[in-house]
Each structure stands twice: as C-alpha cells, then as structure tokens.
Amino acid sequence: MLFSKIKSITPTQLKQLLPTKPTVLDVREIDEYQAGYIPSAQNVPLSGLPDNITQVFTPQPWYLICRSGRRSLKAARILRKRGYQVINVSGGMLSWNGVVTR
C-alpha cells in the first residue's frame, strides 16, 4: 500500500463532503492560511508537519490541501509512510476559490 498512488479528490468533491465533517488539513504556511481558508480546516504547515502532526486528534482519513496541490501531495506521502490514511485535494485552494490551475 505504501507504494500505491496517493488517492486524490477535487475541491468540488471535498465541498460535497463538508456536511459529513471530514478532517481537512491545510498544509500551507500560517500567513497563507490566514489569508483565506476552508472554515473547518486545521492548519498544520508542511514545514513543521513531522513535529506537529500529533496536534491533530481526529479520525482518519485526512484530506490534505495547500495552495495548488503540490505541497499537500508531499505531505500525503510523508503521512502515509507513517501509517495515516490520506487523500490529496488536487488543485488546492486555487481550485477551491475557482481559479483554474494547470
């Protein structure tokens, strides 16, 4: 399982899941997070992820989001190696906010 592809969903799919209260981890830096975020998201920056992941006390799976989807994918790989069930939100906050990314 560790070598399989990281599962991804779109921001639209995540929005549809919000009524079920999924655990959303925003791995952007604090200033990026404060500039705009998903209200239910917890901020655990990628730069401090290995040391600070214990602050998250919610069930898995964890939906990871960043600005464009690259940092959250990196975070997903780190967390999956530690045994966490993770799902990357492709396109990140740019897509969440309606900005088309490529």
Side-chain angles (χ1 to χ4, degrees):
M1 180 173 159
L2 287 179
F3 299 105
S4 64
K5 186 176 178 180
I6 299 283
K7 182 177 178 182
S8 292
I9 64 169
T10 66
T12 300
Q13 290 170 313
L14 179 60
K15 285 179 185 181
Q16 293 169 349
L17 289 174
L18 288 181
T20 68
K21 299 182 180 166
T23 301
V24 180
L25 298 182
D26 189 322
V27 298
R28 297 176 297 157
E29 294 301 315
I30 293 169
D31 60 322
E32 294 175 283
Y33 176 80
Q34 290 174 340
Y37 55 89
I38 298 168
S40 61
Q42 298 177 55
N43 183 226
V44 182
L46 177 61
S47 62
L49 185 65
D51 297 329
N52 296 317
I53 199 57
T54 57
Q55 74 185 30
V56 180
F57 299 107
T58 56
Q60 297 178 59
W62 292 348
Y63 295 85
L64 305 174
I65 194 164
C66 66
R67 181 180 170 272
S68 67
R70 290 186 180 132
R71 282 179 282 180
S72 57
L73 184 58
K74 186 174 182 179
R77 289 181 181 131
I78 291 168
L79 292 172
R80 189 168 66 174
K81 285 181 183 177
R82 293 178 179 219
Y84 294 97
Q85 182 183 358
V86 294
I87 300 167
N88 186 48
V89 181
S90 60
M93 290 300 291
L94 289 175
S95 291
W96 180 271
N97 293 324
V99 176
V100 177
T101 60
R102 297 186 192 258

